[in-house]
């Protein structure tokens, strides 16, 4: 504000107060008055796939990868085709999602930096407004110890239900934590198990307002998936983009083809 008199008389809101005000506007009756009551507040499911490029979707023009369900979701919703990642690596990007703040503001400027507990996250705001909050899958906001336990409390940044690991990309030998320090081992393919947990969460909270986060690891390397997905893609038929380094178009055994075929298999498994 440029007016010095206004600066003297205007209360300076904390970030939590500001976010609560926004929640009151967008989430309706949580804190709205009877006269200004908005529509019933929505449930929110936030789903992510790690290292999944926009160009690896059928709805974005890729005719090789098979993503019918994601394509249908895109056709029935809104696609932000001009969105840009402020910091396109795991930890800073996740800090941006949850706080709405730049990495230079939170201090989370690279991977494996713990998000400070003083930061206000959307999970905390929604929890304060009566939502059940849940996190399943990859967290990667609790510092460099990738296999350590994130205990209940401030380091969970507002999430009540917890079935997560700071980071685990061993998709056929995975683990996660609940509310004690003993890891839970996953049998089978990690994303399948995480999806089952998400369904259980939804069934448990069908009468509640909820904010569920489901963060799958694939298609992040290593490029592995169940056989039924790997068999969908023949590496020799994969078309390489023109900017693939040292690409020899007639070389059907170019190593990039095998990697991309496995990458697409991970995407189809997520789909």
């Amino acid at each position: 504000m440029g007016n010095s008199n206004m600066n003297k008389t205007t209360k300076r809101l904390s970030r939590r107060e500001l976010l609560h005000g926004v929640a009151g506007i967008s989430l309706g009756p949580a804190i709205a008055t009877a006269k200004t009551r908005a529509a019933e507040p929505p449930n929110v499911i936030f789903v992510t796939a790690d290292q999944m490029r926009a160009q690896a979707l059928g709805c974005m023009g890729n005719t090789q990868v098979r993503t019918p369900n994601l394509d249908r979701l895109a056709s029935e919703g809104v696609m932000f085709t001009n969105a840009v990642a402020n910091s396109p690596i795991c930890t800073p990007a996740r800090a941006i999602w949850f706080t709405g703040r730049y990495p230079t503001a939170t201090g989370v400027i690279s991977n494996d930096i713990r998000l400070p507990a003083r930061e206000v996250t959307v999970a905390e705001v929604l929890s304060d407004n009566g939502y059940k909050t849940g996190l399943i899958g990859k967290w990667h906001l609790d510092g460099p110890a990738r296999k350590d336990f994130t205990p209940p409390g401030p380091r969970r940044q507002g999430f009540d239900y917890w079935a997560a690991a700071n980071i685990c990309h061993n998709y056929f030998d995975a683990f996660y934590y609940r509310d004690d320090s003993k890891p839970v081992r996953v049998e089978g393919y990690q994303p399948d198990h995480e999806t089952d947990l998400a369904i259980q969460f939804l069934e448990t909270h069908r009468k509640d307002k909820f904010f569920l986060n489901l963060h799958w690891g694939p298609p992040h390397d290593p490029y592995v998936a169940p056989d039924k997905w790997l068999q969908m893609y023949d590496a020799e038929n994969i078309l390489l983009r023109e900017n693939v380094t040292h690409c020899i178009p007639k070389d059907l055994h170019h190593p990039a083809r095998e990697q991309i075929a496995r990458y697409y298999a991970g995407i189809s498994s997520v789909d």
Side-chain angles (χ1 to χ4, degrees):
M1 297 178 183
N3 188 314
S4 59
N5 292 329
M6 188 176 292
N7 283 336
K8 292 178 182 178
T9 59
T10 301
K11 177 185 177 183
R12 189 176 186 85
L13 296 177
S14 69
R15 290 193 68 249
R16 182 177 289 274
E17 290 171 327
L18 175 61
L19 287 171
H20 270 279
V22 172
I25 294 170
S26 61
L27 299 179
I31 58 175
T33 64
K35 291 184 179 179
T36 61
R37 184 162 296 183
E40 184 72 12
N43 291 319
V44 181
I45 304 175
F46 182 38
V47 179
T48 64
D50 203 338
Q51 289 191 357
M52 184 169 172
R53 298 167 65 90
Q55 67 192 33
L57 285 166
C59 57
M60 292 295 288
N62 189 318
T63 59
Q64 298 185 93
V65 68
R66 301 173 192 176
T67 54
N69 295 299
L70 292 170
D71 296 346
R72 179 174 56 84
L73 184 64
S75 70
E76 296 174 356
V78 177
M79 290 183 63
F80 296 93
T81 57
N82 202 33
V84 176
N86 296 103
S87 184
I89 54 175
C90 284
T91 302
R94 291 166 193 270
I96 292 170
W97 295 342
F98 293 123
T99 68
R101 305 230 293 158
Y102 289 113
T104 49
T106 63
V108 183
I109 59 174
S110 65
N111 276 343
D112 301 334
I113 295 176
R114 181 176 293 165
L115 179 65
R118 66 177 180 273
E119 293 294 331
V120 180
T121 70
V122 64
E124 291 174 301
V125 172
L126 291 177
S127 179
D128 289 347
N129 280 276
Y131 275 65
K132 303 298 183 181
T133 59
L135 182 91
I136 298 171
K138 183 177 177 179
W139 178 228
H140 210 179
L141 284 171
D142 200 27
R146 298 187 169 196
K147 294 184 178 181
D148 280 6
F149 173 56
T150 301
R155 282 163 55 187
R156 292 191 177 182
Q157 301 286 352
F159 286 103
D160 302 318
Y161 176 89
W162 189 268
N166 199 33
I167 183 169
C168 177
H169 286 294
N170 297 323
Y171 304 131
F172 287 100
D173 186 23
F175 70 93
Y176 61 94
Y177 293 100
R178 297 299 298 266
D179 291 335
D180 61 57
S181 59
K182 183 179 180 180
V184 179
R185 309 304 304 190
V186 175
E187 294 185 8
Y189 188 48
Q190 182 182 17
D192 290 345
H193 183 77
E194 291 167 342
T195 304
D196 289 341
L197 291 175
I199 293 170
Q200 292 172 16
F201 179 93
L202 297 178
E203 291 175 343
T204 299
H205 296 290
R206 63 172 63 244
K207 295 183 179 180
D208 301 315
K209 291 304 173 188
F210 56 78
F211 175 50
L212 173 62
N213 284 246
L214 174 57
H215 301 303
W216 291 305
H220 189 296
D221 62 278
Y223 305 122
V224 296
D227 286 343
K228 66 178 181 179
W229 305 113
L230 293 172
Q231 292 169 3
M232 291 178 65
Y233 297 97
D234 182 352
E236 293 190 351
N237 292 326
I238 293 294
L239 300 177
L240 299 175
R241 292 170 64 85
E242 293 180 359
N243 64 346
V244 175
T245 305
H246 306 304
C247 176
I248 304 173
K250 294 182 180 180
D251 179 7
L252 296 180
H253 301 287
H254 192 287
R257 287 190 168 86
E258 178 64 31
Q259 291 184 348
I260 294 172
R262 289 178 170 273
Y263 176 68
Y264 286 170
I267 292 173
S268 289
S269 74
V270 166
D271 179 83

